[in-house]
Amino acid sequence: TPSSMRAMALKVEAKRIAADAGVPLVPGAELAGGVSDADLLAAGESVGYPVLVKASAGGGGKGMRVVRSSSDLVEAVAGARREAASSFGDATVFLERYLERSRHVEVQVFGATHGDVVHLFERECSIQRRHQKVVEESPSPGATPATLERMYAAAVSLARAIGYVGAGTVEFLVAGEGDAQEFFFLEMNTRLQVEHPVTELVTGLDLVAWQLLVAQGSPLPLAQDEIERDGHAIEVRLYAEDPANDFRPSTGTITGWELSEWEDEARVDSAVHHGSVVSSYYDPMLAKVIAHADTRLEAAGRLVRSLRSAGITGVHTNTASLVAILGS
């Protein structure tokens, strides 16, 4: 609904709502538009270094700066504000404690107009470049079962708190290991995400069909205890970019496009083909390639074989980089 989208659209407001719903938050500080340098430095000290300067609006890593000492904070906030204003039309930024070795784990939720809310397990999205996801998988290889159960409950609680209807994702940071592991609210995406095929492959469910049913006013097709997960799925984002040149976007005309469900080993979601023009005006993602298998290692192997068989010419891609990541 418009109201739930508005509630989660700005990260500062979303954090307030999450706190009211009992969801743990990363230590942070809101920043007024005309905050003085002295007050800004005091806020940085209260949060604790290293801190992350984040744009309240938007996403994709824009308006984000990691700051490791107070001497760099004022300049970083000014730069993040400029980028946020340019990208999103909103210069509001805030501070969060930067968790050095954290995992990025998100929970898929689904709500219906009847008030039902369920989760469809988690996806781990920790492999990123420039704070933008590159590899996503389920189950999470690092979050403990106890942490996940608490995250599922927190995600459902937040969705219920805003009367959420349809597909959504509640994103968390997970820090620590074993019994000492903690999780913190990051943001909620009020839409079906790029990486939804990962969930589809491990649950065997069609999330787009679920969206259409919910939009028609139907109840959710399954209750929570009827939703099961099987095996391991991994998705990689195939980008038109040059990893050897600092991941710069690559533009041009695709002169060769050979990327298909290679021997049924992988699912390919793409809208480009031979002759497609890759311009500078849109996101550089060419395709999503997703594999499902009994184990994480088998899923990674299937993806590697599919990517190595790809023949894409006319633009640079991150194919070799993805193969290296999957083999690591």
Side-chain angles (χ1 to χ4, degrees):
T1 62
S3 62
S4 60
M5 291 180 73
R6 276 193 293 268
M8 293 292 108
L10 300 178
K11 294 182 178 69
V12 170
E13 179 62 21
K15 284 165 71 78
R16 293 191 194 118
I17 296 170
D20 290 341
V23 182
L25 301 182
V26 180
E30 297 180 23
L31 300 177
V35 63
S36 68
D37 289 357
D39 287 342
L40 180 58
L41 293 172
E45 292 297 333
S46 69
V47 172
Y49 290 94
V51 301
L52 190 62
V53 183
K54 295 177 70 173
S56 180
K62 297 186 185 301
M64 228 183 228
R65 301 284 193 282
V66 178
V67 182
R68 300 190 179 279
S69 70
S70 58
S71 60
D72 300 322
L73 183 61
V74 173
E75 183 180 343
V77 168
R81 279 182 169 149
R82 285 193 299 270
E83 188 173 25
S86 172
S87 298
F88 315 122
D90 184 342
T92 306
V93 299
F94 61 99
L95 304 183
E96 265 186 0
R97 175 90 48 82
Y98 183 58
L99 304 176
E100 294 275 13
R101 299 289 296 172
S102 61
R103 294 177 175 273
H104 186 149
V105 184
E106 61 192 26
V107 176
Q108 176 73 59
V109 294
F110 236 101
T113 53
H114 303 261
D116 303 332
V117 180
V118 298
H119 71 80
L120 290 88
F121 306 104
E122 83 286 351
R123 296 181 293 259
E124 170 137 350
C125 313
S126 299
I127 300 174
Q128 306 182 8
R129 59 109 178 83
R130 297 200 182 106
H131 306 294
Q132 196 163 36
K133 301 165 186 174
V134 177
V135 179
E136 298 109 341
E137 60 184 311
S138 182
S140 164
T144 68
T147 297
L148 290 173
E149 287 300 325
R150 294 196 301 271
M151 287 173 59
Y152 299 155
V156 169
S157 173
L158 179 60
R160 284 203 175 107
I162 60 171
Y164 194 77
V165 174
T169 302
V170 185
E171 304 200 357
F172 299 97
L173 290 175
V174 176
E177 305 290 337
D179 293 341
Q181 197 167 73
E182 300 176 283
F183 70 93
F184 306 97
F185 175 73
L186 193 59
E187 63 179 328
M188 183 177 186
N189 285 293
T190 53
R191 55 181 168 82
L192 194 67
Q193 285 193 280
V194 169
E195 58 271 25
H196 77 271
V198 170
T199 298
E200 292 189 330
L201 290 184
V202 293
T203 62
L205 302 173
D206 185 335
L207 301 193
V208 176
W210 274 43
Q211 281 193 303
L212 296 172
L213 288 168
V214 165
Q216 294 174 58
S218 299
L220 294 175
L222 296 174
Q224 187 67 71
D225 60 3
E226 296 175 305
I227 301 169
E228 299 180 346
R229 176 166 55 181
D230 177 59
H232 198 104
I234 307 175
E235 173 182 290
V236 293
R237 301 190 186 195
L238 184 63
Y239 286 116
E241 64 183 14
D242 186 0
N245 190 21
D246 196 29
F247 292 93
R248 290 182 187 276
S250 178
T251 58
T253 300
I254 294 177
T255 55
W257 181 258
E258 294 179 24
L259 179 65
S260 59
E261 280 84 351
W262 186 74
E263 293 184 3
D264 296 323
E265 293 238 50
R267 165 179 163 177
V268 176
D269 289 6
S270 180
V272 301
H273 49 78
H274 179 91
S276 289
V277 175
V278 180
S279 79
S280 60
Y281 300 110
Y282 304 101
D283 186 274
M285 187 165 59
L286 301 177
K288 302 181 288 187
V289 188
I290 318 100
H292 177 249
D294 290 338
T295 68
R296 188 185 193 217
L297 193 60
E298 288 175 297
R302 288 184 175 184
L303 273 180
V304 166
R305 288 191 292 273
S306 184
L307 291 168
R308 281 182 172 157
S309 71
I312 304 169
T313 56
V315 293
H316 291 289
T317 73
N318 65 334
T319 305
S321 177
L322 295 173
V323 168
I325 291 168
L326 291 164
S328 170

